[in-house]
Amino acid sequence: MIRILVCEDYAEVSRRAADIVAAQLSGKPDSVLGFATGSTPEGMYAELARDCGEGRISFARACTFNLDEYYPISSDAPCSYRRYMEENLFSRIDIDPANTHLPNGLAEDPEAEGKHYDEMIAAAGGIDLQVLGVGRNGHIGFNEPDEVLILGTHCTKLTPSTISANSRFFASEDEVPKRAMTMGLGTIFGAKHIILLATGAEKAEPISHLLAGELRTDCPVSLLNLHPDVLLIADRAAMGE
Ligand code: GLP
C-alpha cells in the first residue's frame, strides 16, 4: 500500500526522509538499511550526517546495502556509487566501513556477484528500510523499463535515456558505463519498509503511474503498488501539481 507525504520543497523531503531513517535506527540500532544514489537523496544524507555528528543518531551497529553500482567501474573512480556513498555519507558518520556494501563494479563474474549480494542481504536478516529514488523513465535501482524484469541482483544494460540523464555526473556521455549491477525487483521487494523520494517535475510522469494503481513493467516504480509498506515522500512538482 502506498502512503503519501507531500512536502513543500526539497529541504522538507530531505528532512522527513532523514527522520524516518533516524526513527528506524532508534528503534533498531542494528538495522539493515538499503540506500540509493542520485541527486535526490543527497539532502537526506546531509541531514543524517548532521544528526550523527550532533549525537542524535548512531550508525555504529547498522549495516547498509546499496541498490546498485555501475559496471564495469572501480570503487574509487570519481563517479562510482561507492565514491558517492563515501563522500555523501559513510565518511561523515560513525558506521563501520566493513558494514557498508555495494555490488562490486569489477566483479569478474557478475552473475555470481549478484547471487552473492543477495545471499549477503539474506544473511544480514533482510533489509529493514529501503530508501529509493526513481529515474525519469520510472526505473528503480537500475531496473530499467522492459518487458521482462528480473528478481535478483544482476547485471543490466542501461537505456539511452538513463545514460543521458546520468551523464551530468560524468565528463561526457561517452564516459557513462553502459551497464550496471542492480538489486532486482525481488531484492527490493524483500525490504520490510520502503521510502520512495521524488522531487521535481521530471518525476511526475512515473509517479502518476504509481498513484494510478498501474502495474507496468515499462515503468518499474509502478510495481511498488504490490509492496505492503511504501511511503512516497514527494514535493508538489513530483506530484504533478
Ligand atoms: C540513478 C540511480 C537510481 C536513482 C535514479 C534517480 O540512475 N541508479 O537509484 O533513483 O538515478 O536519480 P536522481 O535522484 O538523480 O534523479
Side-chain angles (χ1 to χ4, degrees):
M1 202 194 84
I2 314 289
R3 288 172 299 129
I4 308 168
L5 183 59
V6 183
C7 297
E8 283 312 315
D9 53 22
Y10 179 73
E12 192 188 349
V13 169
S14 301
R15 188 58 249 168
R16 294 298 198 107
D19 285 344
I20 287 166
V21 176
Q24 172 67 40
L25 279 172
S26 302
K28 189 182 177 210
D30 60 348
S31 287
V32 180
L33 301 170
F35 279 147
T37 49
S39 305
T40 313
E42 281 175 7
M44 178 196 75
Y45 292 136
E47 293 288 328
L48 288 172
R50 199 173 52 174
D51 288 346
C52 190
E54 293 174 359
R56 283 190 292 278
I57 54 170
S58 171
F59 291 82
R61 295 175 56 201
C63 150
T64 69
F65 287 91
N66 263 76
L67 283 167
D68 45 19
E69 178 60 282
Y70 290 109
Y71 187 87
I73 202 163
S74 87
S75 57
D76 56 3
C79 294
S80 77
Y81 282 163
R82 164 58 76 178
R83 183 85 168 258
Y84 169 105
M85 289 307 297
E86 295 294 341
E87 285 171 3
N88 282 282
L89 189 68
F90 299 153
S91 67
R92 303 164 69 186
I93 57 173
D94 60 349
I95 198 158
D96 178 349
N99 288 339
T100 66
H101 308 275
L102 283 89
N104 176 5
L106 288 181
E108 270 176 35
D109 180 346
E111 201 179 318
E113 169 64 11
K115 201 163 165 267
H116 173 61
Y117 202 66
D118 285 336
E119 284 165 1
M120 283 198 298
I121 293 171
I127 292 170
D128 292 304
L129 173 66
Q130 175 68 54
V131 177
L132 285 182
V134 55
R136 296 167 198 189
N137 64 1
H139 73 227
I140 49 177
F142 271 130
N143 293 276
E144 296 277 39
D146 208 335
E147 269 178 49
V148 177
L149 300 175
I150 307 285
L151 202 59
T153 300
H154 61 283
C155 190
T156 186
K157 266 172 76 175
L158 302 182
T159 60
S161 96
T162 294
I163 291 171
S164 147
N166 289 10
S167 66
R168 68 190 194 276
F169 298 108
F170 292 80
S172 74
E173 198 163 313
D174 287 347
E175 289 187 26
V176 185
K178 306 293 174 280
R179 286 178 293 164
M181 295 286 309
T182 181
M183 285 185 193
L185 271 299
T187 318
I188 294 170
F189 273 67
K192 296 176 189 78
H193 310 283
I194 294 178
I195 55 174
L196 170 65
L197 315 187
T199 58
E202 66 274 21
K203 305 297 170 67
E205 196 198 327
I207 293 301
S208 74
H209 292 307
L210 173 73
L211 297 181
E214 297 170 8
L215 300 172
R216 304 172 65 127
T217 64
D218 66 354
C219 182
V221 72
S222 71
L223 298 175
L224 291 175
N225 278 308
L226 292 171
H227 191 281
D229 186 9
V230 177
L231 174 65
L232 166 64
I233 309 179
D235 67 2
R236 294 190 182 279
M239 294 295 292
E241 290 176 14

